[in-house]
Amino acid sequence: MSIKLLLTVICCFLLASCYAQMRTDSTAEKMLVYQLGNGGWPKQLEDKSVVNYGADLTPALLARIKATEDKHATFDNKATSREVVYLVKAYKKTQNKTYLKAAEKGLDYMLAAQYDNGGWPQYYPDQSSYRSEITYNDDAMVNVLNILQDIASGKNDFEVVNPKYLPKVKKAIVKGTQCMLETQVKQQGVRTIWAAQYDKDSMLPAKARNFEPASLSTSESVGIVRFLMRIQNPSNEIKAAIASAIKWFDTYKITGYRFDREKGKTAALIADPSGMVWARFYDLDKNVPLFGDRDNSIKSKLEELSPERRNGYAWYGNWGQKLIEKEYPKWLAANGN
């Protein structure tokens, strides 16, 4: 056997051996299959079935995945952000470059979806109904910005992302942060908290589903404040936005109660001396709790809702408690005036 032929055989053997030893992650492998052509991921397939990485990739499921169009790519329910985070960690664990490549394709999708005003829609490129609105609901925009912040600061395993992304990522963070500052609801010139979604053009609070009115939204506002508190060397404007939101949460906390949503029981506020809650939604001007129903009606009391909506939504929660009692004091000690 000639030396040239021998070297060729050895190289082929080594390549085959390396490929055989390449570590894989079963969930990451499924995420590669579900990723859409534009780089994003769906939360539901074309037939409206929910994405489930625990399910086996049967021929029938693979056919449904293949039939799902790019318009189903979304940031709702942690879709896309969940996969990017997981794939980056899977790459760190396995050094399988396919995972990092898919994560960076997801990052390309995130950057492409941002509006010029800094906001992100719930879906992209689908612009139908409320899917085009700037969406803080369920932390959609905050999840994206937290990933970008991790890339910019090289934290939470995101130091593995190609450095070429840094200029675009940093620009997107600046625009996204400015969008947050501009959309913080003001009452007679005083900053309060945020709505769950905003019209993409007017940047004014907007409704989503019939039971989700244009209103102040406590759960989402906590996520926004936490993101703003991540920013190093915050400007005076950012500090003011944070302080105003904390003041609002402290002013409108409901003490002595907890929200009970146990299965089989009617959802209600229950007396609890150690409890602290906020309603999910508040009137944009009056700061009083709002409750929406399927028929597009707005109620002032939980008890006025239809049984299905009363028991099917988190109308109260202790979202701001840890923020005002522990996280903000810690942040203030490090960033106070």
Side-chain angles (χ1 to χ4, degrees):
M1 183 182 292
S2 68
I3 294 176
K4 184 176 181 180
L5 179 59
L6 179 61
L7 289 174
T8 301
V9 170
I10 292 173
C11 287
C12 289
F13 175 78
L14 290 173
L15 286 172
S17 178
C18 288
Y19 181 81
Q21 293 177 16
M22 184 179 293
R23 296 175 63 191
T24 60
D25 178 291
S26 59
T27 299
E29 290 293 316
K30 291 178 180 177
M31 288 179 174
L32 299 181
V33 175
Y34 277 93
Q35 189 171 27
L36 297 170
N38 57 11
W41 278 266
K43 71 170 186 177
Q44 293 178 329
L45 301 181
E46 193 78 33
D47 65 350
K48 299 189 183 303
S49 60
V50 177
V51 170
N52 176 14
Y53 291 117
D56 293 333
L57 293 175
T58 63
L61 178 54
L62 286 169
R64 298 205 308 273
I65 294 172
K66 187 176 180 180
T68 302
E69 299 178 9
D70 286 2
K71 68 178 183 179
H72 292 286
T74 181
F75 302 109
D76 194 29
N77 290 6
K78 298 183 179 180
T80 301
S81 58
R82 167 186 57 187
E83 286 83 0
V84 169
V85 169
Y86 191 95
L87 287 167
V88 163
K89 292 186 180 300
Y91 168 71
K92 281 285 296 253
K93 181 176 68 176
T94 66
Q95 293 299 299
N96 189 326
K97 293 183 179 180
T98 307
Y99 302 156
L100 180 58
K101 182 178 179 180
E104 290 180 341
K105 188 176 180 182
L107 175 58
D108 290 331
Y109 169 79
M110 289 178 172
L111 294 171
Q114 188 179 27
Y115 291 135
D116 288 340
N117 61 24
W120 270 270
Q122 185 185 57
Y123 280 72
Y124 176 79
D126 189 356
Q127 296 283 295
S128 63
S129 185
Y130 56 83
R131 293 182 172 187
S132 66
E133 292 170 354
I134 296 171
T135 303
Y136 297 122
N137 190 44
D138 291 335
D139 296 328
M141 182 166 153
V142 168
N143 288 337
V144 173
L145 279 167
N146 277 327
I147 287 174
L148 299 184
Q149 189 72 282
D150 284 342
I151 294 170
S153 58
K155 294 181 178 179
N156 297 323
D157 298 324
F158 278 92
E159 73 280 358
V160 300
V161 170
N162 193 319
K164 73 177 184 179
Y165 282 101
L166 286 176
K168 290 183 179 180
V169 163
K170 291 178 179 179
K171 182 178 179 180
I173 292 171
V174 171
K175 289 171 61 179
T177 302
Q178 189 58 39
C179 178
M180 287 178 168
L181 296 176
E182 291 180 13
T183 53
Q184 189 172 16
V185 176
K186 294 181 180 179
Q187 296 172 348
Q188 298 181 346
V190 178
R191 291 180 179 271
T192 61
I193 56 173
W194 287 263
Q197 50 274 319
Y198 292 75
D199 182 273
K200 66 182 180 66
D201 298 314
S202 68
M203 297 181 77
L204 294 175
K207 71 181 292 293
R209 291 174 290 187
N210 283 353
F211 53 90
E212 295 172 327
S215 57
L216 299 176
S217 183
T218 50
S219 175
E220 284 73 16
S221 294
V222 168
I224 293 170
V225 173
R226 283 178 174 151
F227 170 76
L228 292 176
M229 291 197 303
R230 291 190 64 187
I231 297 174
Q232 297 295 312
N233 302 314
S235 66
N236 288 334
E237 188 177 9
I238 291 174
K239 290 180 179 180
I242 293 170
S244 297
I246 295 297
K247 182 178 180 180
W248 188 96
F249 273 106
D250 192 44
T251 300
Y252 294 102
K253 63 181 182 290
I254 303 170
T255 57
Y257 291 90
R258 60 180 170 81
F259 187 50
D260 190 344
R261 283 183 71 200
E262 288 187 32
K263 189 175 182 180
K265 294 183 179 181
T266 300
L269 280 180
I270 305 296
D272 182 345
S274 64
M276 181 186 297
V277 296
W278 289 263
R280 178 69 182 269
F281 302 127
Y282 285 79
D283 183 271
L284 288 165
D285 300 307
K286 300 176 182 178
N287 299 309
V288 294
L290 296 179
F291 306 90
D293 220 325
R294 291 282 187 187
D295 62 359
N296 210 26
S297 62
I298 304 299
K299 314 295 186 184
S300 60
K301 296 180 180 179
L302 177 66
E303 294 77 13
E304 296 174 345
L305 292 174
S306 63
E308 183 273 333
R309 273 301 78 194
R310 177 173 177 174
N311 299 316
Y313 202 72
W315 293 110
Y316 289 93
N318 64 348
W319 302 292
Q321 185 169 2
K322 186 177 179 181
L323 181 67
I324 65 174
E325 290 183 346
K326 296 181 179 180
E327 296 172 11
Y328 177 66
K330 183 179 179 180
W331 176 88
L332 192 61
N335 298 276
N337 295 326

